[in-house]
Amino acid sequence: MPNPPLNNLTQAQFLRRHWQKKPLLARASLPQFAPLVSRRDLLEMAQSPDTEARLIIRNGRRWQVTYGPFRKRDFTRLPARNWTLLVQCVNHVLPAAQDLLDRFAFIPHARLDDLMVSYAPPGGGVGPHFDSYDVFLLQGEGRRQWQISRQRDLTLVENAPLKILRNFHPTQEWKLSPGDMLYLPPNCAHDGIALEECITYSVGFRAPSAQELCSRFLDYLQDNLQAPGRYTDPHLKPARQPGRIDRHMVQGMMRLLRHAQPDRAGMLRFIGEDLSTPKPHVVFTPPQRPQTAARFALSAARRGLRLAPQSILLYDDRAFYVNGEHCMLPAAARPAIRRLADRRRLAPASLPKAALETLYMWYRSGYLEPGIPE
Ligand code: SIN
Ligand code: CO
């Protein structure tokens, strides 16, 4: 893997000192960083249903937010200053973005959210706020001023169309030039304002809140629950207080409710499926004229293959999880599929039959593509 852009820190040092703890400013972290997108590309991507885009315009203390997909004409009458266009999931529509994400592969894939790219003319930004995510803010073209604060007060302006901190008291300020990068842990108050036309790349890492995770777990249980039996009371005695729920009834009901607590295997399956579930807008496009299984095997041996940009493939000791689906594979298939999950690509090589069968199925679903870029 290429080195992560963390200046002189090793990956372990960065994780120990900064990750989830405190900001890191890395000057010239990627001095050779070739811009991945131009303003024009970004405006085009904001018109695609495969990304999620927001246009944020500031007028004094008033903020206006509109959501994509946009039409070309939405961009024709924008002011000269004080707005920004943010496009999420750029890595889904721009395969070249994978090289940048590869630099962050020292953080598990299951933590990655997406690559967001923003464009702003001078004065543009999203206002002082905090995120629930870890984020690496890499400066592309132009300069941006970042202010951050260690404040604990995260009260938001009421009734604003986006998250704006009511009281922002910056404690540090930097001007970032192309190639500089700022890492921010969750809940760190920050505000980035474009000093000139600028493009900023945000590599964001998600962490579910307990509330979100438990609520998805309840959905999972609802769909997967096996709860045999029924409440019985063959030893019932005449009730003197028929309105009372008595001790025996409580015990019997509690015994039944224990079925709602799945075993470890059920929880592991939920975790894998949940972490590998793509965002709701993601769709996979199966190949229009698919290769035969034999051609596919030949092409994998000669040209390798890679995951589709929006695919999420993870594994644990027991199973594989691809785009929210759990899948058990024979031992002979596992090493190659684990390699694919780790690197998102497989170099040209002839693969075991067991692996090819699964890979071919995934290819037919649009989860992976033959060939790897040079
Ligand atoms: C950006 O404006 O590119 C980043 C927005 C943020 O601070 O989350
Ligand atoms: Co932010």
Side-chain angles (χ1 to χ4, degrees):
M1 296 281 167
N3 285 334
L6 302 168
N7 287 0
N8 298 325
L9 293 182
T10 64
Q11 297 167 355
Q13 282 169 332
F14 166 78
L15 292 175
R16 208 168 47 240
R17 295 182 201 167
H18 294 274
W19 178 250
Q20 298 245 296
K21 299 169 203 75
K22 59 177 188 184
L24 170 72
L25 172 72
R27 290 272 180 214
S29 71
L30 277 179
Q32 311 299 331
F33 179 55
L36 289 173
V37 290
S38 63
R39 172 189 195 272
R40 202 180 146 161
D41 298 331
L42 213 56
L43 264 50
E44 246 166 53
M45 286 177 188
Q47 296 168 50
S48 154
D50 297 329
T51 61
E52 287 176 321
R54 279 169 296 158
L55 180 62
I56 299 177
I57 306 176
R58 179 172 64 83
N59 196 340
R61 293 173 133 242
R62 287 205 8 251
W63 296 87
Q64 184 198 320
V65 185
T66 38
Y67 296 89
F70 292 99
R71 290 152 307 173
K72 206 169 181 179
R73 64 167 183 266
D74 295 322
F75 302 125
T76 47
R77 275 195 234 125
L78 287 167
R81 299 178 59 90
N82 303 348
W83 60 271
T84 180
L85 174 71
L86 303 119
V87 184
Q88 288 195 248
C89 301
V90 167
N91 50 315
H92 293 181
V93 291
L94 187 75
Q98 191 54 49
D99 286 350
L100 176 61
L101 295 182
D102 283 348
R103 293 172 175 271
F104 296 91
F106 66 104
I107 298 161
H109 293 326
R111 291 284 268 111
L112 178 70
D113 191 38
D114 68 348
L115 172 67
M116 179 180 87
V117 185
S118 71
Y119 165 82
V126 301
H129 67 284
F130 64 94
D131 298 301
S132 321
Y133 289 4
D134 297 84
V135 65
F136 295 89
L137 297 152
L138 175 64
Q139 191 54 32
E141 281 143 290
R143 285 179 317 136
R144 182 182 276 265
Q145 170 187 286
W146 284 101
Q147 293 183 319
I148 66 163
S149 167
R150 292 211 202 141
Q151 67 192 66
R152 297 256 172 93
D153 172 9
L154 298 179
T155 320
L156 298 173
V157 174
E158 273 173 41
N159 302 323
L162 73 172
K163 269 177 30 180
I164 301 284
L165 285 168
R166 196 156 71 190
N167 312 300
F168 181 56
H169 303 292
T171 44
Q172 268 175 301
E173 178 181 309
W174 302 284
K175 289 182 178 59
L176 267 68
S177 298
D180 292 346
M181 191 185 71
L182 178 61
Y183 160 76
L184 296 177
N187 299 331
C188 172
H190 59 282
D191 188 16
I193 301 175
L195 296 171
E196 54 211 31
E197 268 203 300
C198 84
I199 292 194
T200 303
Y201 298 78
S202 307
V203 183
F205 291 86
R206 64 181 163 158
S209 71
Q211 184 71 35
E212 287 161 359
L213 188 71
C214 291
S215 121
R216 291 199 295 267
F217 187 48
L218 288 177
D219 287 343
Y220 171 86
L221 277 184
Q222 179 66 34
D223 295 343
N224 292 279
L225 192 64
Q226 302 286 336
R230 181 182 295 278
Y231 178 74
T232 56
D233 50 4
H235 307 299
L236 192 64
K237 302 276 182 315
R240 261 180 274 139
Q241 294 171 297
R244 178 185 286 280
I245 303 169
D246 72 12
R247 194 163 46 89
H248 292 108
M249 188 159 213
V250 168
Q251 279 167 0
M253 298 293 270
M254 284 197 164
R255 255 197 309 277
L256 293 188
L257 277 174
R258 278 192 204 114
H259 290 298
Q261 294 164 6
D263 55 6
R264 189 177 150 76
M267 286 174 111
L268 284 175
R269 176 170 169 172
F270 162 73
I271 292 168
E273 290 187 351
D274 188 66
L275 289 172
S276 69
T277 298
K279 294 185 191 224
H281 73 272
V282 166
V283 282
F284 292 92
T285 319
Q288 273 186 338
R289 259 175 280 131
Q291 300 175 351
T292 60
R295 271 228 144 265
F296 175 80
L298 205 65
S299 145
R302 288 197 186 139
R303 298 165 49 224
L305 50 85
R306 63 175 161 169
L307 287 177
Q310 62 278 55
S311 264
I312 307 178
L313 173 61
L314 305 171
Y315 59 88
D316 59 22
D317 292 341
R318 303 162 52 96
F320 290 83
Y321 308 92
V322 63
N323 300 322
E325 296 164 25
H326 153 273
C327 129
M328 306 293 276
L329 294 180
R334 289 179 211 151
I337 310 272
R338 283 192 184 141
R339 233 166 31 242
L340 176 63
D342 288 335
R343 304 196 186 148
R344 297 191 59 85
R345 56 171 67 189
L346 280 178
S350 58
L351 296 164
K353 193 164 166 285
L356 276 168
E357 274 167 16
T358 302
L359 293 170
Y360 185 63
M361 211 168 62
W362 291 349
Y363 157 69
R364 296 287 301 250
S365 304
Y367 293 175
L368 54 84
E369 296 160 2
I372 49 177
E374 293 300 302

